[in-house]
Amino acid sequence: MKAYSILAIVGLSLLISCSGNKTEPKQSNADFLAANIDTGIAPGTDFFLYANNGWFKKNPIPGSEGSNGLWQLIQDTINAQVRDICERSSQDKQSGKGSAKQKIGDLYFSGMDSTGINTAGLTPIRTELDQLGSVNDPTSLAAGVALVHMNSGAPLFDFYVGQDDKISSKHAVFLRQGGLGLPDRSFYLESDERSKSIRSDYVRYLQDMLSVIGYDSLRSKGLAADILALETKLAKASRSIEDTRDPQRNYNKMPLARFEKEVSAFNWNTFLSGIGLRQPDTVIIGQPEFFSACNKLIRETAMPVWGAYLQVHFIRGLAPYLDDNTYSRHFRFYSTTMRGITEMKPRWKRVVDQTNGSLGELIGQVYVTEYLPKGTKEKLLQIGEAANRWSMSYMIGKFGKPVDRTEWDMYPQTYNAYYNPSNNEIVVPGCNIIVPGYERVMADDAILYSIIGGSTFGHEITHGFDDQGAQYDANGNLSNWWTREDSIRFAARTQRVVEQYNQYRVVDSLHINGEMTLGENIADIGGILMGYEAFRKTEQYTSGKSIAGLSPDKRFFLGYALAWMINTREELLVERVRSDVHSPPQFRVNGPLANMKAFHQTFGIKPGDAMFRPDSLLVEIW
Ligand SMILES: [Zn+2]
């Protein structure tokens, strides 16, 4: 999706159902906020840990998860509900053929049919693998790239149809840098020990996948090295994430004819018809120098290497649906090496997790399954492929049609939110009202105003005025509407935020990248201030009444820490710090609070404490 302008508050989205029976919450009668405090940690040293470590100690990260916390509490509820729906649907003999229930039931049944899936192996995708393996000229290469884009991944470059940043009422075709198998260019280019060891594991994974596909061991070894070399060249030609955040520099509109001439080694006509898009007059190129590099790379790389590269990208997106042999090799690299996860989730959870991130989407749009031919054993694989194909076709179908500003990119049951500068709009799905730990009793205003007011609404509103959002005018168009002086003063204030977050060390010597996370950090800082201002108008605040021995102010700041109560494995933290524009949860709490005088006063934070920042450094942007 439009990754740089749709700024979701968190890197992943979870689904929860707004109605129905909830599972028994894991809580005693004690107040959840009070129970989570670790009194062994001073609030001025690390407020995130002070507020949450009590819970972390009682709830270690399960072997099958990269993290544990607030989101998993919600996910447990969802999983239990979804599993219940699935099991009841698969046993339901009353529902007619073609009904949603029958389809969900069939999907679940074939998902659980590991014998059938394991016997089938790669047979269900053999035709596609063979087509990709026989790529031998620019036309078959372009057809292969289109095939993978439509079904499972994004090889060579990223492509999407979305709102034109400079004409927000129109859709445009965007082409951006991409095509990597590792989460960010830095994984290919850095020379620290951790990166080197990830790269050697990655080569082993590529080799493994190629032998599963059917190459002999010598050939697999050679091709794995060739693919790493190819992706490293793509990485070198890519901008760093912070450099992709400037909306002006990453918007280069040009006539398609001119672009085709400049990147002539690739057959764009074949690609566009392969994905079912009629020829646009113009395209918006994110990073022109990346495509110049692609042009050169296509000419100088042997076609069989491209074929193997496409095969691996094709399998990667479908791995969770495939047989255990293929999936376990995928898991060993992407979950164990990259994220420190050692235990595989049960198959049904994988299916729920992977089908576009949501079985909710499938349930909501069961007609996806209309794409499927009859047959049972391979249905799961086909649904996995069909879901991708459906969402690509839906997106491509928007091209040429006017923008529907009432359309949302999230479902009501999605526990997340986003700001879209092209529409000057915030989308906060209804389920954000749910606060784990307070399922039975409505949480008090201190909690609601910090989580929903601060970390959600306040955060998203601030995106309209962060370093990117501020560049879009009242009509949602990317245009320079500031004076020179405005820009200079804005940059000076945001520079303080960059410097503050650059100082935060996450794992070993790895620090937060203050430039890359700037927009999210501004939104966090602005969000909590807004939530706090709103909270000061509530009865709870003015009455000053304590709950469970905690003053309204204390509850507000502890509530804010609860919003980010997520304990993350070191490996996953490293991946996120290098590829996610959001700071890790610990610093989404400590960073903004360190800038708030009201917080310092409430918890007696003093000069010399880690959570203290003197007046001269306090960040105040708006
Ligand atoms: Zn955000």
Side-chain angles (χ1 to χ4, degrees):
M1 289 305 296
K2 204 170 183 181
Y4 72 101
S5 65
I6 303 227
L7 303 150
I9 52 166
V10 284
L12 68 164
S13 86
L14 297 170
L15 289 163
I16 54 177
S17 161
C18 282
S19 60
N21 302 321
K22 293 210 166 66
T23 50
E24 207 61 32
K26 289 175 197 154
Q27 73 181 94
S28 62
N29 289 329
D31 178 68
F32 197 58
L33 282 188
N36 293 341
I37 293 175
D38 184 342
T39 49
I41 294 166
T45 304
D46 187 334
F47 190 73
F48 169 81
L49 277 185
Y50 166 76
N52 295 323
N53 202 43
W55 192 90
F56 294 157
K57 282 199 224 163
K58 279 177 266 168
N59 300 276
I61 305 173
S64 61
E65 301 287 338
S67 62
N68 198 22
L70 179 97
W71 296 76
Q72 276 69 26
L73 288 178
I74 299 170
Q75 189 67 61
D76 285 348
T77 308
I78 305 158
N79 283 342
Q81 292 168 341
V82 170
R83 184 177 205 174
D84 187 51
I85 294 169
C86 291
E87 290 195 339
R88 276 188 291 112
S89 301
S90 70
Q91 284 154 17
D92 183 354
K93 303 281 175 273
Q94 310 294 315
S95 299
K97 260 214 164 323
S99 69
K101 273 194 166 180
Q102 183 243 323
K103 286 172 182 169
I104 294 163
D106 282 0
L107 168 65
Y108 185 69
F109 181 78
S110 31
M112 298 307 283
D113 178 18
S114 49
T115 316
I117 291 167
N118 286 335
T119 311
L122 294 185
T123 316
I125 53 169
R126 185 49 69 188
T127 315
E128 288 84 358
L129 289 175
D130 287 348
Q131 181 191 328
L132 298 171
S134 57
V135 159
N136 61 3
D137 60 18
T139 302
S140 55
L141 172 64
V145 171
L147 175 78
V148 184
H149 267 271
M150 284 307 280
N151 290 289
S152 70
L156 196 55
F157 50 80
D158 271 0
F159 148 86
Y160 63 90
V161 170
Q163 267 169 288
D164 185 333
D165 294 80
K166 296 195 177 177
I167 315 170
S168 66
S169 60
K170 288 216 164 113
H171 285 120
V173 174
F174 291 80
L175 292 164
R176 295 173 66 87
Q177 66 185 38
L180 305 179
L182 292 171
D184 177 61
R185 73 194 285 275
S186 63
F187 287 93
Y188 295 88
L189 309 178
E190 299 289 334
S191 55
D192 59 289
E193 284 312 311
R194 192 186 283 271
S195 303
K196 280 199 255 175
S197 123
I198 286 177
R199 277 198 295 275
S200 68
D201 276 7
Y202 182 54
V203 172
R204 211 167 307 140
Y205 153 81
L206 290 170
Q207 215 175 312
D208 240 13
M209 279 299 156
L210 291 162
S211 27
V212 169
I213 293 168
Y215 293 94
D216 66 39
S217 71
L218 195 65
R219 188 83 180 111
S220 299
K221 205 172 170 191
L223 283 170
D226 290 342
I227 292 173
L228 180 72
L230 174 61
E231 291 184 357
T232 304
K233 285 179 190 163
L234 290 174
K236 277 189 184 147
S238 299
R239 294 183 188 173
S240 66
I241 297 177
E242 54 269 37
D243 285 340
T244 61
R245 295 190 68 257
D246 179 338
Q248 295 279 4
R249 275 194 56 219
N250 291 276
Y251 180 104
N252 303 280
K253 193 186 242 181
M254 62 178 81
L256 176 64
R258 190 182 120 202
F259 180 65
E260 283 180 317
K261 215 173 275 168
E262 283 176 13
V263 190
S264 59
F266 190 72
N267 191 331
W268 293 99
N269 194 19
T270 302
F271 173 74
L272 291 169
S273 61
I275 60 169
L277 184 69
R278 68 176 172 77
Q279 296 263 327
D281 296 334
T282 56
V283 285
I284 297 171
I285 307 304
Q287 301 76 23
E289 74 279 12
F290 176 82
F291 287 91
S292 311
C294 285
N295 196 45
K296 196 162 162 263
L297 211 47
I298 293 169
R299 293 221 162 89
E300 68 189 24
T301 307
M303 282 296 157
V305 176
W306 284 113
Y309 164 83
L310 291 175
Q311 286 174 318
V312 172
H313 277 257
F314 185 72
I315 285 200
R316 181 181 296 124
L318 298 173
Y321 310 105
L322 295 169
D323 59 287
D324 290 344
N325 176 37
T326 309
Y327 180 69
S328 63
R329 292 156 194 256
H330 174 90
F331 178 88
R332 196 161 42 193
F333 180 71
Y334 283 101
S335 294
T336 307
T337 300
M338 293 303 293
R339 302 184 160 188
I341 301 170
T342 48
E343 276 170 43
M344 275 193 225
K345 286 181 188 177
R347 179 172 274 277
W348 70 268
K349 265 194 189 174
R350 263 144 61 191
V351 177
V352 170
D353 282 355
Q354 289 294 327
T355 309
N356 269 352
S358 72
L359 189 63
E361 179 156 8
L362 253 191
I363 292 171
Q365 302 166 351
V366 272
Y367 66 90
V368 165
T369 56
E370 302 293 351
Y371 282 94
L372 294 177
K374 298 279 172 276
T376 51
K377 298 287 187 214
E378 291 159 14
K379 190 163 288 182
L380 187 69
L381 298 166
Q382 293 159 347
I383 290 175
E385 287 179 59
N388 279 312
R389 213 158 45 231
W390 179 86
S391 59
M392 283 298 285
S393 303
Y394 178 75
M395 178 181 81
I396 288 161
K398 288 181 181 177
F399 183 66
K401 292 182 193 152
V403 167
D404 176 3
R405 294 194 198 246
T406 64
E407 185 183 41
W408 288 6
D409 278 335
M410 282 182 185
Y411 301 94
Q413 71 272 29
T414 306
Y415 191 74
N416 205 330
Y418 66 85
Y419 179 81
N420 174 359
S422 295
N423 282 353
N424 281 323
E425 106 186 307
I426 306 172
V427 173
V428 180
C431 276
N432 281 273
I433 193 79
I434 291 173
V435 182
Y438 294 89
E439 289 90 347
R440 295 300 171 86
V441 281
M442 187 67 155
D444 50 300
D445 279 349
I447 296 179
L448 294 177
Y449 278 76
S450 58
I451 297 187
I452 300 163
S455 73
T456 309
F457 275 102
H459 174 102
E460 299 306 334
I461 289 172
T462 310
H463 271 315
F465 310 96
D466 69 16
D467 60 322
Q468 293 177 303
Q471 300 184 51
Y472 291 76
D473 66 16
N475 295 317
N477 288 322
L478 177 59
S479 70
N480 259 330
W481 57 283
W482 289 16
T483 64
R484 221 180 102 75
E485 200 195 341
D486 288 341
S487 305
I488 291 170
R489 291 177 61 179
F490 184 81
R493 289 179 186 209
T494 55
Q495 186 52 34
R496 273 193 198 174
V497 180
V498 173
E499 285 160 11
Q500 181 193 349
Y501 284 78
N502 272 342
Q503 287 167 14
Y504 290 136
R505 192 178 64 82
V506 185
V507 175
D508 304 334
S509 62
L510 183 66
H511 285 66
I512 292 182
N513 179 335
E515 291 279 351
M516 178 175 114
T517 55
L518 178 60
E520 294 302 329
N521 298 333
I522 292 174
D524 284 340
I525 293 168
I528 180 83
L529 285 175
M530 233 180 274
Y532 187 65
E533 281 312 307
F535 176 57
R536 279 159 51 106
K537 299 192 171 68
T538 64
E539 206 268 327
Q540 183 182 4
Y541 182 84
T542 50
S543 75
K545 210 175 78 201
S546 289
I547 299 175
L550 299 167
S551 69
D553 270 338
K554 283 194 172 169
R555 292 187 72 80
F556 178 85
F557 294 116
L558 288 166
Y560 185 70
L562 173 62
W564 300 113
M565 186 183 78
I566 303 170
N567 192 17
T568 313
R569 286 186 192 283
E570 208 174 276
E571 292 87 344
L572 180 56
L573 270 178
V574 171
E575 184 193 305
R576 290 274 159 81
V577 168
R578 291 166 71 163
S579 62
D580 187 350
V581 293
H582 302 84
S583 294
Q586 182 177 13
F587 301 100
R588 297 194 72 168
V589 173
N590 293 350
L593 292 184
N595 284 303
M596 273 185 88
K597 278 191 173 171
F599 167 74
H600 295 165
Q601 282 153 12
T602 302
F603 285 93
I605 312 292
K606 304 228 153 36
D609 289 342
M611 295 292 301
F612 185 85
R613 282 167 70 77
D615 286 5
S616 60
L617 288 181
L618 288 188
V619 174
E620 214 178 333
I621 294 173
W622 296 101

